[in-house]
Amino acid sequence: MNIDKTLLFIIIANVLMSLKGFNDRLFFDKYKFQIGAINRGEKIRIFSSAFLHVDYLHLILNMYVLYVFAPQLIFTFGVIQFLIIYVGSLLAGNLFTLIFHKNELYYSAVGASGAVAGVIYAAILLNPNMSLIMFPLPIPLPGYVFGVGYLLYSIYGMKKQIGNIGHSAHLGGAIGGYGLVLLLNPSIFLHSTTTVLLLGAPIVLLLLFGDKLKN
């Protein structure tokens, strides 16, 4: 499969920024997501942190998932609208994290996971019956089942602070991808109504009762 130039550019940017961060701790600390620094005015971190990664496995996993799912969006929407979904999901993930962890001044994070989550959810809305595997389950699940399960897991992960994982960025990115793809292609409401409603239900509950997650 020929890789689109825009997608290739995004992957290369992630690789170069991450490699720089692996070898230059000052660079990493300057551009990572950190609540206190962002509150002091370093807004660039909201964007730049999405091109840094913790280690090679983190980088490779995110770029592989992006490589798998992005071409469908590029083919369907074109490059400009794909970029809107990618960057919009990136910002949604980090802004959601900023709001959720606003009182944790030392909270920090890196990674393209929010943007990638948005791409995955946009792809699920386009093809609800695609087969996806949710670790540790050994069987493939329909895309819409995976989508609902992952949203619920992310909400639970935020509540319980499970692992060294940015659940809030994943969740915010997924919500961004969900909302943007529906804005860009409202006809999805007609041919994937059930999936739209199933994925939308946890999002609506989160928006209504999200403050309870901190209690």
Side-chain angles (χ1 to χ4, degrees):
M1 179 176 66
N2 293 327
I3 185 169
D4 178 84
K5 291 180 180 179
T6 302
L7 177 57
L8 180 61
F9 176 82
I10 292 173
I11 291 174
I12 290 174
N14 272 274
V15 170
L16 293 179
M17 281 278 289
S18 295
L19 290 176
K20 174 67 174 174
F22 294 159
N23 297 298
D24 186 340
R25 188 68 196 186
L26 291 177
F27 178 86
F28 184 88
D29 288 339
K30 182 178 180 179
Y31 291 107
K32 70 181 181 180
F33 182 97
Q34 187 177 58
I35 299 291
I38 293 171
N39 287 345
R40 291 194 301 270
E42 298 178 32
K43 307 301 184 186
I44 187 62
R45 292 172 181 262
I46 295 173
F47 183 77
S48 63
S49 60
F51 292 86
L52 295 169
H53 290 80
V54 173
D55 52 34
Y56 286 101
L57 180 60
H58 188 206
L59 172 63
I60 291 170
L61 180 60
N62 270 337
M63 293 305 98
Y64 174 73
V65 174
L66 181 63
Y67 173 79
V68 170
F69 286 94
Q72 181 182 2
L73 301 189
I74 295 171
F75 177 79
T76 302
F77 294 110
V79 168
I80 299 300
Q81 293 190 353
F82 163 72
L83 285 174
I84 291 173
I85 293 171
Y86 184 86
V87 175
S89 299
L90 181 163
L91 295 175
N94 281 345
L95 289 173
F96 185 81
T97 300
L98 184 62
I99 293 169
F100 187 79
H101 294 283
K102 62 184 177 182
N103 296 322
E104 303 170 46
L105 298 183
Y106 293 101
Y107 180 91
S108 62
V110 293
S113 301
V116 172
V119 168
I120 292 173
Y121 275 77
I124 289 173
L125 285 173
L126 291 177
N127 184 11
N129 293 312
M130 68 169 66
S131 293
L132 297 171
I133 293 178
M134 178 182 291
F135 182 82
L137 298 177
I139 57 173
L141 301 172
Y144 64 91
V145 175
F146 173 93
V148 173
Y150 193 75
L151 281 174
L152 294 175
Y153 171 74
S154 294
I155 293 172
Y156 179 76
M158 286 171 57
K159 172 69 175 177
K160 298 296 184 180
Q161 297 292 298
I162 297 175
N164 188 28
I165 299 172
H167 295 286
S168 54
H170 294 182
L171 186 55
I175 294 172
Y178 173 90
L180 285 168
V181 78
L182 291 178
L183 286 174
L184 294 171
N185 190 354
S187 66
I188 289 176
F189 279 108
L190 298 178
H191 63 74
S192 297
T193 305
T194 301
T195 299
V196 171
L197 294 176
L198 284 173
L199 291 179
I203 294 173
V204 171
L205 290 174
L206 175 67
L207 296 177
L208 290 176
F209 305 107
D211 57 323
K212 305 297 183 183
L213 295 176
K214 296 184 179 182
N215 300 327

